[in-house]
Amino acid sequence: MVRYSKVQFRTLVKNYGVDLCFTPMILADSFCQNEKARSNEFITTTNDTPLIVQFAANNVDDFVDASQLVYPYADGVDLNCGCPQRWAMKDGYGCALLSRPELVHNLLRSVRNNLPSHFSVSVKVRIFQDLKKTITMCQQLEQCGVNFMTVHGRTPLQKSGDNIDVEMLKEVCDLVKIPVVANGGIKSLYDAEQLYSTLNCDGIMVADGILNNPALFTGANKTPLYCVKHWMNLKDSSDDKITFQCYHHHLVFMLGKILTKKQKQEFNNLSDFDEVDVYIKKYVLDSFDGDVEVNHELENFVDCEFNSKITLKHAHKCRGCGKSICYCICAQYDYDSNKGNYFKSFVTNNDGIDFMDSNMFDECNL
């Protein structure tokens, strides 16, 4: 999830039945080139495990080097071949890679050959309209030496509201020998259990469903109040390691079934941590006096030291303009530049939003 699933959110959901977390999709080239991109996009703790770092990459050097940078701090890397966002497709990332199978093979095989066997290498894809083409793709990926694959049950042109192709996912699970994680269309624990039972897959991945309800795997049909309070506590224990944008945006999703339309409009225009906390305590947690049970703590942040030989190799050029990165707009990486004023369409169309295809943020040209 682009710019979501930061360490605070990963810690939150691991308290509510999640076994494995992925980082947000990170641009491998920016991660190698830009120190600020590394510090913003990859924050972890000693308890943040198991953890898969998901990269968007379109060349071998970037993917291998980015994977080597995070190797000391993660359990595996994942190549995203499933992101349908227009900017990603335009730049040859995400679903655009599905039309370049030889490149995908080189990306995955190169990382597998350059990192120890205990370090997981995986790939996430979307299906094609054609069953035979989908099966062929998945079987080819199987030969790349990946440990598992995640298959999203929609084509690159479909939106999050469209039904997933369960029959095609079933064929993939039956014919592919490595573990398959199914993804798409999960809005409740019941949905997850039904899909798991139908496919006999090895796992279920949830994205937008768990944004709306981080306690989805407990069986709750909306975000419990204790989960909202837990998120506030995680913010307080993060010091300066969580941005207002991240904190606020997650709450917009989590409170979607709790706030009224008018309250959503008000909440959307809050602009700092204190305003948000006061509002939640007044309108959401006014009657909540329960305890928050914590099994996974947010503590012991890791001071990541990245291999300087790798970072220096990438630091001198920006692929966007060819100029020194010191002078390029790409160096002006400001993750927290967009405080408050969450996109207004959310409060009028909050049930149908496709977070993977909407411009929630001012795009950073990294």
Side-chain angles (χ1 to χ4, degrees), residues 221-234:
N221 60 9
K222 63 180 180 180
T223 305
L225 295 185
Y226 58 77
C227 186
V228 176
K229 177 60 177 175
H230 194 170
W231 180 242
M232 297 174 70
N233 293 345
L234 288 170

Side-chain angles (χ1 to χ4, degrees), residues 314-340:
H314 291 265
H316 67 290
K317 289 285 187 178
C318 169
R319 287 176 179 79
C321 65
K323 297 179 181 178
S324 166
I325 198 163
C326 296
Y327 299 99
C328 180
I329 187 78
C330 298
Q332 300 174 14
Y333 185 91
D334 189 0
Y335 173 75
D336 199 28
S337 62
N338 189 23
K339 288 191 174 184

